[in-house]
């Protein structure tokens, strides 16, 4: 079976929870050195032997790789730690040997590693010698199997993979997406300020259309400022998806207000050198109007009325001449 086909087919298996999953059943596998980044994937993530699972001290494992989660040290880590206290670690993490002796770099299982560091003791880990591409694909596959990342988390992961220089095929296999799917995620994340995403969080259940609608408002209003103000009034325990909805409602309301203000236009009082008002200049999306109040400047108003048409033609001719000289 080709590695790309495996990367896509593996997502048909249902996700498993740490509390319910049992360690994979030993399956005899012949380990051999396979060429290239895809060669290592020919061994299924579930085709491991009992001898390939080791007990490793957590402080010998370095957090490595790209971000695939917006939140790691959250309340769910404590829940996972409590589950491991009661039932033990049921699902191993995966690591690969580091360049430094007797150290490892994590491939997947960052939440489990963080939980076990709270519990204490060793961590059960599968040790695989994989190159960067194969490690990235394994990381993406395992995340999709166990806890489907949110749309925005996948978008950030894609952005970081692309900026790091991973090839399109590797990115697609890591997340089980088509080329168009990758493009859809990237288009949205490029429009969103990084700080806005950090403020809201992963927002599970919020999809491309909703994030895209919020991103579209970025050209009209200061999203980050509105988000800060909105979230400051919410409890710290507010779920991330609810934070998104609150920010989206506030930003949409602000954008409508800005649009209405623009439609009404702006009026500026024009003053002479002494500071006395001469008239007003009103500008909106449809017209430009100059208004002179006769009671304030009766003589100037009379003078301008007599010369208004001529003056307007002169201004138009001046504009044409300046436009012609500039072309």
């Amino acid at each position: 079976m080709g590695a790309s086909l495996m990367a896509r087919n593996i997502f048909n298996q249902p996700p498993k929870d740490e509390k319910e999953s049992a360690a994979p059943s030993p399956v005899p596998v012949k380990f051999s050195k396979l060429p290239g980044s895809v060669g290592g994937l020919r061994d299924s993530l579930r085709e491991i032997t009992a001898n390939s699972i080791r007990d490793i001290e957590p402080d010998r494992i370095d957090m490595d790789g790209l971000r695939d989660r917006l939140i790691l040290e959250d309340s769910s880590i404590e829940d996972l730690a409590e589950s491991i206290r009661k039932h033990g670690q049921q699902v191993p993490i995966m690591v690969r040997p580091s360049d430094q002796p007797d150290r490892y770099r994590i491939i997947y299982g960052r939440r489990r590693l963080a939980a076990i560091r709270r519990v204490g003791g060793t961590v059960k880990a599968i040790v695989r010698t994989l190159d960067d591409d194969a490690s990235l694909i394994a990381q993406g596959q395992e995340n999709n199997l166990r806890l489907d990342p949110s749309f925005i988390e996948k978008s950030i992961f894609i952005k970081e993979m692309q900026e790091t220089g991973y090839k399109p095929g590797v990115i697609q296999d890591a997340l089980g997406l088509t080329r168009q799917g990758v493009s859809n995620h990237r288009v949205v994340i490029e429009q969103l300020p990084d700080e806005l995403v950090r403020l809201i969080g992963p927002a599970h259940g919020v999809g491309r259309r909703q994030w895209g609608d919020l991103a579209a408002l970025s050209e009209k209003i200061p999203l980050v400022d509105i988000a800060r103000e909105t979230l400051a009034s919410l409890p710290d325990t507010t779920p991330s998806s609810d934070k998104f909805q609150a920010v989206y409602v506030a930003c949409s309301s602000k954008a409508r207000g800005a649009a209405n203000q623009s439609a009404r236009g702006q009026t500026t009082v024009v003053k002479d050198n002494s500071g006395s008002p001469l008239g007003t200049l009103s500008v909106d999306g449809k017209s430009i109007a100059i208004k002179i109040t006769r009671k304030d400047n009766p003589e100037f108003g009379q003078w301008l009325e007599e010369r208004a048409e001529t003056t307007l033609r002169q201004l138009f001719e001046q504009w044409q001449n300046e436009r012609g000289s500039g072309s």
Side-chain angles (χ1 to χ4, degrees):
M1 178 184 292
S4 296
L5 182 58
M6 177 188 299
R8 292 180 175 86
N9 287 347
I10 197 168
F11 293 97
N12 294 327
Q13 303 178 38
K16 296 185 177 181
D17 184 80
E18 178 72 37
K19 296 180 182 179
E20 301 176 358
S21 299
S25 301
V27 178
V29 177
K30 293 182 179 180
F31 289 90
S32 59
K33 186 175 182 181
L34 300 173
S37 62
V38 297
L41 291 177
R42 293 177 186 170
D43 295 330
S44 166
L45 295 179
R46 302 188 182 282
E47 292 177 340
I48 59 175
T49 64
N51 291 334
S52 68
I53 300 179
R54 305 182 191 176
D55 291 322
I56 301 175
E57 293 293 337
D59 59 6
R60 289 164 52 195
I61 302 174
D62 299 320
M63 286 294 191
D64 189 31
L66 303 179
R67 273 191 306 169
D68 53 19
R69 286 286 185 273
L70 275 172
I71 299 175
L72 182 61
E73 297 292 345
D74 61 359
S75 59
S76 67
I77 298 296
E78 186 56 46
D79 293 339
L80 183 56
E82 183 60 28
S83 173
I84 292 174
R85 285 190 191 99
K86 293 180 179 179
H87 308 289
Q89 181 191 351
Q90 299 297 311
V91 180
I93 69 173
M94 181 178 283
V95 298
R96 56 176 172 162
S98 172
D99 294 337
Q100 302 177 21
D102 205 29
R103 294 199 66 81
Y104 301 90
R105 300 160 63 187
I106 193 164
I107 296 175
Y108 64 67
R110 288 161 176 75
R111 294 176 69 253
R112 274 163 280 168
L113 178 59
I116 290 170
R117 282 175 169 162
R118 295 189 182 188
V119 173
T122 58
V123 58
K124 297 182 186 299
I126 305 164
V127 180
R128 289 289 180 87
T129 301
L130 301 178
D131 63 17
D132 289 344
D133 285 359
S135 295
L136 185 78
I137 293 174
Q139 177 185 354
Q141 286 185 9
E142 204 269 351
N143 283 335
N144 278 276
L145 279 169
R146 290 190 50 76
L147 180 61
D148 189 34
S150 68
F151 172 84
I152 204 65
E153 286 179 313
K154 288 182 179 180
S155 300
I156 292 173
F157 197 23
I158 288 169
K159 181 180 178 181
E160 294 199 356
M161 284 189 285
Q162 289 180 333
E163 291 178 348
T164 304
Y166 285 99
K167 295 180 180 179
V170 173
I171 297 173
Q172 292 170 41
D173 285 345
L175 291 173
L177 295 172
T178 64
R179 179 178 297 181
Q180 184 60 49
V182 170
S183 177
N184 290 341
H185 285 71
R186 185 64 194 263
V187 166
V188 173
I189 195 65
E190 285 180 343
Q191 300 178 68
L192 291 166
D194 290 343
E195 185 175 353
L196 177 70
V197 176
R198 289 196 299 270
L199 287 170
I200 293 175
H204 287 280
V206 178
R208 178 173 70 92
R209 182 185 60 78
Q210 293 165 292
W211 277 107
D213 289 345
L214 181 60
L217 301 176
S218 61
E219 297 180 358
K220 304 175 183 178
I221 53 175
L223 296 181
V224 174
D225 292 343
I226 298 172
R228 283 202 205 100
E229 181 180 351
T230 301
L231 297 177
S233 63
L234 299 179
D236 294 339
T237 56
T238 302
S240 180
S241 57
D242 291 347
K243 289 181 180 180
F244 175 91
Q245 295 300 335
V247 170
Y248 179 74
V249 169
C251 289
S252 297
S253 177
K254 197 76 171 181
R256 286 194 297 271
N260 292 337
Q261 179 64 32
S262 177
R264 288 194 296 269
Q266 296 181 344
T267 299
T268 304
V269 177
V270 181
K271 299 180 181 180
D272 62 16
N273 293 334
S274 65
S276 300
L278 289 176
T280 58
L281 174 65
S282 299
V283 180
D284 59 26
K286 297 180 179 180
S287 64
I288 300 174
I290 298 174
K291 182 178 180 180
I292 306 298
T293 305
R294 290 185 182 275
K295 69 174 184 178
D296 293 334
N297 295 283
E299 295 181 2
F300 175 63
Q302 181 64 34
W303 181 89
L304 182 60
E305 181 181 357
E306 295 172 356
R307 295 165 176 78
E309 293 184 15
T310 301
T311 302
L312 184 57
R313 291 192 188 97
Q314 290 174 345
L315 290 172
F316 182 74
E317 291 173 1
Q318 181 179 347
W319 170 77
Q320 287 184 314
N321 292 335
E322 291 178 357
R323 184 185 182 189
S325 63
S327 61

